[in-house]
Amino acid sequence: MPMERHLTFYQNSFNLPHELKFKPLSLIGFSGLDIVNNAVHKSIWETFNNRTEKAPILYKIISNTHTFPVIKPKRNSYDWYLPKGILKRNWLNKHLQEVPALIVIFFDLDWKDSLWNEKVIECASKVLSMKTALQGRDCRILVVLIQNQMPVPEDPLASERAVALCSSCELNAQSLYVLPHGQHLLGYTIRLEKAFFEFSHNYYSSCVKNVKMHKEYLDKSSHQNLFVRHEFKMGFLNELKQDMHSAYKHYTWAYKNLLDIQMTAVNSLELCTVAGFINYKICKLQFALNLPRDAISQFKIHIEKFKNNFGFPQLAFEHYAWLSKQFEIFADIFDEAVKLGLPAVQTQHPGVYYQQSAQYALIRKKMCQELCSKVIAYPHPDPLENIDRMEFYGQRPWRPGKIEPSESAIEDDGIQALQYLENQVSHSSLIISLYGLAIAQYKIYKCPRTRRYLVLEMADECYHSKDFGKALTLYTHMLSDYREEKWHGIISNILEKAIICAYLTASVQDYLQLSFEVLSMYTIVSIEDKRRIYENLNRIFKKQIPYGSPKLSHDILQNAIILWQPVFGRDSLIFDLDFTNIVNCLETKVKFCNSTVQIDQSVCLEVFIRSTCPFPLTINDIAVKITTQHINTEFRVNPDQNTFTLHLNEVQKFNIEFEPDCRDINSEIEIDHVIISIGNSSECLATLKFNGQGIQKALPELQYFKKSQESIDFDGIKAIPKATLVPRNSKLDVQIEHAPPALIGECYEMYISMVNKESCIITDLKIEVSKDENSEVELSSTPETSIEKSPLILQSPKTMDPDAKIVTSCFVRAMKPEVKNIYVKITYRLDSDKPLISIKNERIILPVMQPFMVDTQFLSGTMQHIQKFYAGEKFLMNTIIRFLSPFTIYIDDTSIEFIPPIKGAEMYTKSNLTGYSFIQEEIGSEVFVALSENQSDQNLAIANYIITWKRENGILTKTNITLNGHHCDWIPLNIEVLTPAYGIVRTPTVIKYHLINHSSHLVQLDVEMEASESFMFSGYRKNTTSVLPFSTKLLQYNLYPLLPGNVSLPKLILTIPENSTEGPALRQDQLTQLIDRTVPYSIYVMPQIKGDIKQSSVILKTNESRS
Amino acid sequence: MAVCAAIVGKDNSPKYFCCINPDEELSYQYKVLSSLDIIEERLNPANKNASESKELFLGHLYSLETCKLYGYVTNTKIKLIIVVNAMNLTLKDNDIRSMFQKIHSEYADMVSNPFYIPGEPITSKLFDSTIKGIITGTV
């Protein structure tokens, strides 16, 4: 099969040859290793090859029978030499695979080997035979002795024998190595490899030098090819040497020299081919040397230089194939660099080049169709016979090595042969795969729209290659993306192509779906095409094969018709078309008439349909699918199956009513979708599914700018896809009677009165009272203080006749002056044929305030305000109740409970306020006498003051207020003074001072009574007195008042004696304060009673009895 | 002179498209649509320099074998795109910028027109001829 071989060869000829793409590695030959039979050798070989950090070296086993390429005789003069081409096909491979930089001969030999002499001879012969084989080459030979014993330092035997071995093998001392085979094989290997690499490095350097030497002999005019060849060789040798910078320099020169060569139709293929090779090398090195910008600009220059075709116009496709390949190759290198970490950007990435490559592949295809379609026979004799045995790259097989064109007949045959082969190439698959590569790249670099465009191009190519199914899939997939951005021009274009594909693959489902979309007003397609599609739609509904587009060729149509025939074989055809997100020639909008629907009313829906199809559409049925938690039903617009017709821009409105399900109360009813059926169920029926919300406009607010002359403004209709089912409106008349504000602590009564205004009997009546969560309110149904849990269920009759009235009440007790919310929820059932539950909710906003405020004042025995108490000393507590309530408050009782250590100093504690009523702003006051038994640093809680009160006609409430006092000090001495209530002029009266020592120490005091103008008195005027521990000393004075009125008493002065032996338990200032607090300043003295002595004596008697 | 101009809305739907050669309109539509990828990326707030710059003119977006595309984005995210033939070397960046500014002001006038429905494609013949005048350099 020479033809097939030619074809593969022809197709591969555009690819880079394998040897060029191969990563250049220094070649080192290993001889004497038997890796098949010898385990030691095998392990050595593997250690050299399978290491992670391997030097850029290719090891190759050289067998004994290996033949090296023949050396060409050295040329001394290039004067008459005319090169036949630029690059020889075998040269690269020769240096990559055949001519090693270094030969290493491995030989098993220990220094102490018993057969030393024999082995030395054997080794020498091996070296010698290798030397003969490599005669004339600069290739170096090394000998590595594989030894079992580890080397011993300073071993005289070893050094002696090494010298002997070197001399018998005619090697210098640097060429002999020892590889002990033992534990440290890896370490030895690394060291050996380093040495090998150095030798190979030197070898390639000398090769480069050799090539350079030729340069002098060359002549610019006749040896242009050699200028390119030599620079290329030097570049490649430098690459083998791993000197990338020099390689890059030489390749650049090679490229420059190549551009100097005049391009003709004869050599254009060779120049292009070689230019492609060098450009590949340059770009690859630039990426490797991290010069991506240079690589891109080099590539651009390269394309710019070779873009125009200089070859035979009959072979134009060949040039485009080459161009396409150039882009693909560059994209490959670019992609490789990206995978190695090069960052690419949105506008400069491999995808751009794959795309361009595909574009050139398209031109190639076009050229091929133009040039090769007439070629039907392959010429004889075969002009491409030697296609796989060419000496140079890129030359024509029918004239190898020739610069002039051959005879025109041979030339024509050759061209015809190539054209014939080109015609066999499957261009579409090439193009599709290139698009595939580009699409993948564009996806990475965030170009979704460009990617879509490429997918469409790919689909076009699938279409051209008659893969209509794949094209249809691609088109329909892309459509959804384009629909989003509303580029209707593009969408229409895709639709047109897609519908043809759907027709050609006889895909009814797709054909129907696309047809409805094409008929929409947004699709920009000629009216003739729309008419044809409209008629086809009608044919399908009648189970007739639709007509294809007149643009299609006859044989394609023929195939399609064959595909269509079995489609209508089945009895009834039903196609479900989903238009939920797709604009088509019908638009629907559905709205609930109300966004809330009461459960006892029927749900009402309005369905609007508009047609934008230029031709009348007959609609079979419209149904709306409703979903709630409990129902999932389709409701049809006209159950009686009448078809109706919709004309262009006509809007029709339909109503749907249905009863809601009682279980769905308080949940949402949702329109799931709308289904429009077209066709007839007996033959062919299409059900179109819509979301019922019309086309989503990008900016709904702009809708208001639109004006519509239509009777129903379709665009202005706002779809309402959801409604909430709510309980029915209760007709119960509820009144709450109460007298706000509520007062803190009181049992506040609220009356709930209900009148049944429903038309029927109410049953299962339930009244619930609740409060806000966390609200400190107590609810109860009785005026007792027991707290009942919330919601409170009030007792009431369970049934109510129409117009009956029920009054019930509840009690609320609040403890903080805030505004509280109280909720009343009345649930009942109507005793009608439909047992509907009704709910009535009421909210009561209840302000709460304090009924009164209580202040306290503390007074000393002499009615002075005091800031602290003294243990054992009586004080007065004055409570002041300030009434705040807007209602009159009746005080039932007040009482006081002293809190220890405070105790009352009175026996008699009847409330003064009992039975009084107070209005707002009034004050009620009481005084209590008390004393503290112990001292205290903290302020003391004095007493609980309990006020029992009520509103007029209210319920009694006890309010307990804790009264707080001052702290309590302790001093050892206390004074109690007994004075009469009043004195009478010139009537003697007695005043007693009790000095009470309640300490365990003796208290000594100087007592002095100051003289007074108003009195004469008897008793100690000035005295020192001692008060014994826990005892009382009485000082008694007889007073004889001289003047009437409120007169000052003689002043008692107590001082601590200077020579007091007792400690500082009592200070002078404390003593003075004590007197101020407890000893009265003055006394009322009455004038003498004139006349009735009897009365005056009564007064005197009472005076005496008191004292 | 430019060969094509387009106005694209905030939602990337076309508002106005004009092409000197009507036969090439579809292929230019594809090109303009593809260029939105680059505009979107430039406007992406994640790219620092994009959001900070107050310059409306985005400059050169990308080149194809046959043409070069330039972009301009108004403050309300209306995108203006101009396509220039790749062979045309006379048009400098500044010329393109002033072209964009003229189109922008024409567009602003158009939107102010009470007979224009905002958000709809622009169909005014006067607008069309003015824009064509701007891009061909006759205005």
Side-chain angles (χ1 to χ4, degrees):
Chain A
M1 280 286 168
M3 197 56 67
E4 272 177 24
R5 213 187 63 217
H6 282 358
L7 185 61
T8 17
F9 204 90
Y10 171 72
Q11 277 175 313
N12 280 337
S13 68
F14 299 106
N15 288 330
L16 290 179
H18 179 68
E19 57 270 23
L20 194 73
K21 289 205 279 191
F22 198 84
K23 186 173 188 263
L25 298 169
S26 308
L27 185 69
I28 290 175
F30 279 0
S31 170
L33 279 185
D34 182 6
I35 55 170
V36 183
N37 302 318
N38 191 323
V40 173
H41 290 185
K42 193 175 175 216
S43 74
I44 291 171
W45 171 250
E46 279 170 359
T47 322
F48 269 108
N49 278 294
N50 306 334
R51 270 189 297 116
T52 43
E53 280 176 39
K54 205 179 137 192
I57 294 176
L58 179 71
Y59 296 108
K60 191 173 177 170
I61 296 279
I62 307 277
S63 66
N64 289 336
T65 52
H66 184 87
T67 47
F68 293 98
V70 186
I71 285 193
K72 278 181 292 175
K74 233 187 184 123
R75 202 183 293 276
N76 288 323
S77 157
Y78 281 81
D79 284 353
W80 296 102
Y81 174 67
L82 274 182
K84 290 178 184 168
I86 303 172
L87 283 184
K88 285 192 182 168
R89 294 178 74 96
N90 60 359
W91 188 82
L92 282 172
N93 211 30
K94 190 166 84 183
H95 285 273
L96 279 171
Q97 295 289 347
E98 289 174 31
V99 181
L102 181 71
I103 292 276
V104 183
I105 297 171
F106 286 88
F107 198 73
D108 292 287
L109 183 59
D110 272 301
W111 297 127
K112 290 172 188 163
D113 200 291
S114 50
L115 300 167
W116 170 259
N117 288 331
E118 289 83 346
K119 291 237 171 131
V120 166
I121 292 163
E122 193 188 332
C123 179
S125 79
K126 272 195 175 175
V127 172
L128 189 66
S129 68
M130 195 52 81
K131 269 189 179 165
T132 2
L134 290 169
Q135 193 84 52
R137 295 200 181 272
D138 289 338
C139 180
R140 190 149 183 176
I141 294 170
L142 299 186
V143 172
V144 174
L145 298 183
I146 303 170
Q147 299 192 330
N148 286 321
Q149 276 146 1
M150 296 313 262
V152 187
E154 303 284 324
D155 184 0
L157 179 71
S159 47
E160 184 195 312
R161 287 197 160 175
V163 171
L165 185 67
C166 283
S167 67
S168 56
C169 295
E170 293 174 32
L171 289 171
N172 61 13
Q174 283 87 40
S175 306
L176 182 66
Y177 290 85
V178 171
L179 174 61
H181 181 260
Q183 298 152 334
H184 305 293
L185 186 60
L186 184 66
Y188 289 114
T189 317
I190 292 170
R191 274 155 68 184
L192 276 177
E193 188 172 83
K194 221 169 165 186
F196 295 167
F197 186 62
E198 199 124 304
F199 283 119
S200 73
H201 197 271
N202 293 339
Y203 167 78
Y204 289 121
S205 300
S206 77
C207 285
V208 172
K209 241 178 253 162
N210 271 344
V211 178
K212 213 176 225 166
M213 265 160 37
H214 299 318
K215 224 172 163 182
E216 299 164 23
Y217 308 114
L218 301 186
D219 172 18
K220 272 266 176 196
S221 58
S222 51
H223 297 133
Q224 274 177 322
N225 285 355
L226 291 183
F227 275 102
V228 179
R229 186 193 296 172
H230 288 166
E231 289 293 345
F232 182 85
K233 279 186 176 179
M234 283 192 276
F236 190 76
L237 289 168
N238 270 312
E239 260 194 289
L240 287 169
K241 196 181 135 189
Q242 309 302 324
D243 180 354
M244 299 304 168
H245 285 279
S246 309
Y248 169 41
K249 198 178 74 194
H250 286 294
Y251 283 133
T252 317
W253 274 109
Y255 194 80
K256 272 202 186 108
N257 291 340
L258 183 78
L259 293 180
D260 290 343
I261 301 173
Q262 178 71 38
M263 203 191 296
T264 62
V266 181
N267 70 355
S268 75
L269 179 69
E270 185 174 10
L271 284 182
C272 284
T273 309
V274 176
F277 291 179
I278 302 173
N279 178 63
Y280 165 76
K281 280 290 184 194
I282 293 175
C283 291
K284 207 170 155 73
L285 282 172
Q286 278 166 329
F287 276 120
L289 296 171
N290 202 14
L291 302 164
R293 280 166 203 283
D294 292 355
I296 291 166
S297 61
Q298 158 67 29
F299 180 71
K300 280 192 176 149
I301 292 166
H302 171 62
I303 294 301
E304 210 49 54
K305 297 273 183 205
F306 291 92
K307 200 157 101 184
N308 296 326
N309 180 19
F310 291 99
F312 297 105
Q314 303 96 304
L315 295 175
F317 54 82
E318 198 180 53
H319 181 68
Y320 289 107
W322 177 83
L323 268 175
S324 165
K325 210 72 202 176
Q326 292 303 303
F327 276 96
E328 189 190 339
I329 290 165
F330 184 72
D332 284 342
I333 317 173
F334 198 165
D335 191 33
E336 219 170 88
V338 168
K339 278 179 187 143
L340 291 173
L342 178 77
V345 294
Q346 202 187 23
T347 47
Q348 199 56 256
H349 58 83
V352 177
Y353 298 93
Y354 283 125
Q355 184 192 1
Q356 199 58 47
S357 173
Q359 227 98 102
Y360 278 117
L362 265 174
I363 303 178
R364 173 189 181 185
K365 183 181 139 188
K366 214 173 93 198
M367 287 295 165
C368 167
Q369 281 165 349
E370 270 175 31
L371 300 168
C372 316
S373 52
K374 294 179 198 93
V375 181
I376 34 167
Y378 191 77
H380 191 80
D382 185 358
L384 305 182
E385 205 183 347
N386 297 321
I387 193 164
D388 47 355
R389 289 191 291 276
M390 301 294 295
E391 191 185 359
F392 290 93
Y393 287 116
Q395 292 193 340
R396 297 291 183 197
W398 58 87
R399 47 171 164 77
K402 298 257 171 59
I403 300 161
E404 299 303 316
S406 313
E407 287 168 43
S408 68
I410 297 173
E411 202 71 44
D412 289 348
D413 271 1
I415 288 167
Q416 194 188 341
L418 288 179
Q419 284 176 336
Y420 182 86
L421 289 178
E422 176 74 11
N423 215 5
Q424 314 290 313
V425 174
S426 153
H427 293 100
S428 290
S429 62
L430 280 177
I431 296 165
I432 289 166
S433 74
L434 283 171
Y435 276 129
L437 289 168
I439 287 163
Q441 294 286 343
Y442 274 105
K443 199 173 176 184
I444 298 170
Y445 295 100
K446 293 183 194 155
C447 295
R449 294 175 191 81
T450 319
R451 185 184 147 260
R452 261 173 249 153
Y453 173 54
L454 293 178
V455 175
L456 288 182
E457 299 264 285
M458 193 188 214
D460 284 350
E461 198 49 49
C462 290
Y463 176 81
H464 291 307
S465 64
K466 299 202 170 57
D467 187 352
F468 304 120
K470 193 176 173 194
L472 177 63
T473 320
L474 291 175
Y475 284 133
T476 45
H477 276 271
M478 287 307 109
L479 265 175
S480 61
D481 289 327
Y482 279 104
R483 282 187 199 113
E484 248 169 59
E485 297 193 332
K486 304 188 182 68
W487 285 67
H488 289 293
I490 289 175
I491 295 171
S492 309
N493 178 254
I494 302 168
L495 279 174
E496 269 187 292
K497 292 180 197 163
I499 203 162
I500 289 175
C501 289
Y503 176 77
L504 293 176
T505 50
S507 163
V508 195
Q509 175 95 24
D510 289 315
Y511 194 84
L512 288 172
Q513 175 111 22
L514 293 166
S515 301
F516 281 113
E517 200 173 346
V518 169
L519 290 174
S520 135
M521 68 169 169
Y522 297 102
T523 311
I524 310 155
V525 174
S526 70
I527 191 77
E528 289 76 31
D529 283 337
K530 281 196 181 182
R531 182 185 304 280
R532 189 171 49 76
I533 284 159
Y534 172 74
E535 279 163 7
N536 278 343
L537 254 183
N538 287 336
R539 285 179 69 83
I540 289 174
F541 288 129
K542 287 179 206 146
K543 282 192 169 185
Q544 290 167 348
I545 296 172
Y547 298 118
S549 165
K551 290 172 205 157
L552 296 173
S553 69
H554 184 72
D555 52 332
I556 288 179
L557 280 177
Q558 203 69 44
N559 284 336
I561 288 165
I562 293 167
L563 288 173
W564 274 94
Q565 267 156 3
V567 168
F568 296 120
R570 279 171 287 150
D571 288 343
S572 64
L573 296 167
I574 295 176
F575 298 100
D576 294 326
L577 309 176
D578 189 348
F579 286 108
T580 32
N581 291 314
I582 301 170
V583 178
N584 74 356
C585 61
L586 287 169
E587 289 173 55
T588 64
K589 279 189 184 174
V590 188
K591 58 185 266 193
F592 282 100
C593 300
N594 296 304
S595 57
T596 54
V597 181
Q598 289 176 16
I599 195 84
D600 59 337
Q601 293 169 1
S602 57
V603 182
C604 137
L605 280 175
E606 286 179 347
V607 184
F608 298 88
I609 297 183
R610 174 165 73 172
S611 162
T612 59
C613 173
F615 312 103
L617 281 174
T618 303
I619 289 168
N620 214 11
D621 194 16
I622 301 169
V624 180
K625 170 99 171 253
I626 301 287
T627 55
T628 68
Q629 279 177 347
H630 294 99
I631 59 167
N632 200 352
T633 326
E634 266 182 25
F635 294 100
R636 307 175 88 170
V637 167
N638 53 342
D640 45 351
Q641 290 286 347
N642 286 335
T643 59
F644 59 91
T645 306
L646 213 56
H647 297 276
L648 175 63
N649 285 334
E650 190 186 345
V651 183
Q652 287 207 12
K653 180 183 158 189
F654 304 92
N655 288 316
I656 292 177
E657 271 191 29
F658 63 93
E659 298 297 320
D661 190 314
C662 295
R663 290 171 298 173
D664 287 324
I665 194 153
N666 288 329
S667 63
E668 279 192 332
I669 327 177
E670 207 174 329
I671 295 165
D672 196 61
H673 56 252
V674 180
I675 296 232
I676 297 179
S677 319
I678 295 180
N680 53 63
S681 48
S682 59
E683 284 179 300
C684 179
L685 186 75
T687 60
L688 286 67
K689 187 169 152 190
F690 296 86
N691 62 5
Q693 295 173 43
I695 306 149
Q696 287 291 310
K697 293 278 190 265
L699 299 165
E701 63 272 20
L702 296 181
Q703 208 40 250
Y704 299 109
F705 289 100
K706 282 200 170 177
K707 289 184 296 260
S708 171
Q709 279 90 40
E710 294 161 35
S711 54
I712 302 173
D713 174 16
F714 189 82
D715 288 325
I717 295 166
K718 195 170 174 238
I720 304 169
K722 279 179 186 173
T724 316
L725 272 178
V726 294
R728 60 182 294 277
N729 249 345
S730 165
K731 285 182 185 144
L732 199 68
D733 186 17
V734 177
Q735 298 286 333
I736 315 273
E737 287 159 23
H738 60 129
L743 302 176
I744 286 183
E746 77 169 328
C747 253
Y748 182 75
E749 188 164 19
M750 292 193 302
Y751 296 95
I752 302 162
S753 72
M754 290 159 282
V755 180
N756 181 6
K757 302 267 174 156
E758 304 276 2
S759 54
C760 47
I761 298 169
I762 285 172
T763 57
D764 292 348
L765 182 71
K766 189 172 144 194
I767 308 162
E768 285 172 272
V769 183
S770 61
K771 55 175 189 175
D772 281 330
E773 255 177 69
N774 308 324
S775 157
E776 288 173 41
V777 181
E778 294 165 16
L779 297 171
S780 62
S781 50
T782 55
E784 280 139 31
T785 48
S786 65
I787 302 161
E788 291 172 54
K789 65 175 186 228
S790 175
L792 174 73
I793 296 163
L794 294 184
Q795 302 233 319
S796 66
K798 290 285 171 216
T799 56
M800 260 176 110
D801 293 330
D803 289 324
K805 186 176 177 179
I806 290 182
V807 179
T808 179
S809 72
C810 73
F811 295 91
V812 177
R813 185 199 295 268
M815 291 304 174
K816 274 189 180 170
E818 293 167 340
V819 176
K820 308 280 184 191
N821 285 318
I822 306 292
Y823 304 94
V824 178
K825 183 181 178 191
I826 303 163
T827 319
Y828 59 92
R829 211 146 51 80
L830 281 179
D831 191 19
S832 62
D833 35 322
K834 232 169 118 188
L836 279 174
I837 289 175
S838 295
I839 295 171
K840 176 94 178 176
N841 279 307
E842 291 282 327
R843 185 173 80 146
I844 305 152
I845 299 167
L846 185 63
V848 180
M849 69 177 297
Q850 286 185 319
F852 42 70
M853 265 167 62
V854 174
D855 281 340
T856 39
Q857 290 176 348
F858 296 98
L859 304 169
S860 71
T862 54
M863 297 301 273
Q864 284 165 315
H865 286 276
I866 51 169
Q867 298 305 320
K868 58 181 166 190
F869 309 136
Y870 288 91
E873 193 180 307
K874 285 176 191 163
F875 60 90
L876 302 178
M877 184 172 73
N878 183 14
T879 58
I880 302 156
I881 309 173
R882 203 179 300 275
F883 290 87
L884 303 169
S885 149
F887 311 107
T888 305
I889 286 181
Y890 170 82
I891 299 291
D892 187 61
D893 190 22
T894 61
S895 66
I896 195 137
E897 286 172 7
F898 290 101
I899 301 166
I902 309 287
K903 65 173 192 183
E906 294 173 289
M907 305 298 284
Y908 169 80
T909 53
K910 190 174 184 301
S911 170
N912 287 333
L913 302 174
T914 302
Y916 289 98
S917 289
F918 296 87
I919 60 165
Q920 199 169 8
E921 303 281 304
E922 279 188 330
I923 289 171
S925 178
E926 285 184 285
V927 172
F928 301 93
V929 183
L931 63 84
S932 172
E933 291 188 307
N934 292 320
Q935 87 173 99
S936 164
D937 293 338
Q938 248 108 58
N939 285 350
L940 289 163
I942 306 296
N944 287 322
Y945 189 42
I946 299 154
I947 306 164
T948 313
W949 57 278
K950 64 174 187 180
R951 294 187 192 205
E952 280 179 1
N953 312 322
I955 299 155
L956 279 178
T957 306
K958 265 190 185 178
T959 302
N960 185 344
I961 296 163
T962 302
L963 305 174
N964 285 312
H966 307 301
H967 64 276
C968 184
D969 274 0
W970 182 86
I971 51 170
L973 194 68
N974 199 0
I975 302 175
E976 271 182 28
V977 184
L978 279 177
T979 55
Y982 57 89
I984 298 171
V985 175
R986 281 196 287 277
T987 306
T989 181
V990 176
I991 183 162
K992 289 175 184 168
Y993 297 93
H994 296 267
L995 302 180
I996 305 157
N997 179 4
H998 44 84
S999 73
S1000 54
H1001 298 275
L1002 179 74
V1003 175
Q1004 282 190 313
L1005 294 166
D1006 284 347
V1007 181
E1008 196 186 338
M1009 203 61 158
E1010 267 184 0
S1012 167
E1013 290 179 354
S1014 320
F1015 293 96
M1016 288 197 295
F1017 66 88
S1018 68
Y1020 291 110
R1021 175 80 202 279
K1022 192 169 184 177
N1023 186 21
T1024 301
T1025 182
S1026 298
V1027 189
L1028 296 175
F1030 301 114
S1031 70
T1032 304
K1033 180 93 182 180
L1034 177 70
L1035 295 174
Q1036 188 169 327
Y1037 290 89
N1038 287 320
L1039 296 184
Y1040 188 75
L1042 300 172
L1043 297 171
N1046 188 13
V1047 290
S1048 302
L1049 283 169
K1051 199 173 177 188
L1052 178 73
I1053 298 167
L1054 296 176
T1055 44
I1056 297 163
E1058 277 169 29
N1059 56 353
S1060 168
T1061 50
E1062 290 306 310
L1066 191 63
R1067 296 193 310 272
Q1068 183 59 49
D1069 62 321
Q1070 287 177 332
L1071 209 51
T1072 318
Q1073 281 172 11
L1074 177 68
I1075 290 169
D1076 285 348
R1077 273 200 314 271
T1078 52
V1079 179
Y1081 286 118
S1082 59
I1083 188 167
Y1084 282 99
V1085 177
M1086 307 267 211
Q1088 213 162 20
I1089 303 158
K1090 299 198 173 139
D1092 195 348
I1093 308 287
K1094 211 176 178 181
Q1095 203 183 348
S1096 72
S1097 66
V1098 171
I1099 296 165
L1100 274 174
K1101 258 182 200 163
T1102 45
N1103 254 353
E1104 272 165 10
S1105 69
R1106 273 204 189 168
S1107 58
Chain B
M1 103 170 213
V3 291
C4 170
I7 299 175
V8 179
K10 192 180 174 183
D11 56 347
N12 288 340
S13 67
K15 296 283 168 264
Y16 171 77
F17 201 92
C18 98
C19 193
I20 300 302
N21 180 359
D23 294 342
E24 287 177 337
E25 179 160 331
L26 190 68
S27 79
Y28 278 122
Q29 280 201 12
Y30 280 118
K31 283 172 187 139
V32 168
L33 189 55
S34 300
S35 75
L36 289 181
D37 285 335
I38 293 155
I39 295 180
E40 290 272 280
E41 195 62 24
R42 295 242 188 122
L43 296 180
N44 188 351
N47 295 352
K48 279 174 221 137
N49 19 355
S51 48
E52 282 165 22
S53 134
K54 290 203 174 72
E55 173 69 62
L56 304 176
F57 181 52
L58 297 179
H60 177 236
L61 298 175
Y62 77 113
S63 300
L64 293 168
E65 288 283 279
T66 52
C67 57
K68 288 184 279 194
L69 286 96
Y70 294 84
Y72 182 96
V73 176
T74 72
N75 289 319
T76 51
K77 301 281 172 285
I78 303 291
K79 292 135 197 158
L80 311 182
I81 293 149
I82 287 179
V83 187
V84 177
N85 201 315
M87 299 296 146
N88 189 334
L89 300 172
T90 55
L91 275 177
K92 297 284 173 277
D93 262 18
N94 264 337
D95 304 327
I96 305 274
R97 187 200 301 267
S98 76
M99 235 184 240
F100 272 127
Q101 280 157 355
K102 282 180 198 160
I103 298 179
H104 187 181
S105 106
E106 282 299 320
Y107 175 75
D109 286 350
M110 185 69 222
V111 175
S112 315
N113 180 346
F115 294 101
Y116 168 70
I117 300 165
E120 294 285 293
I122 298 168
T123 47
S124 156
K125 279 177 191 158
L126 179 66
F127 183 78
D128 187 56
S129 70
T130 321
I131 300 295
K132 276 191 176 137
I134 291 168
I135 63 169
T136 49
T138 51
V139 172

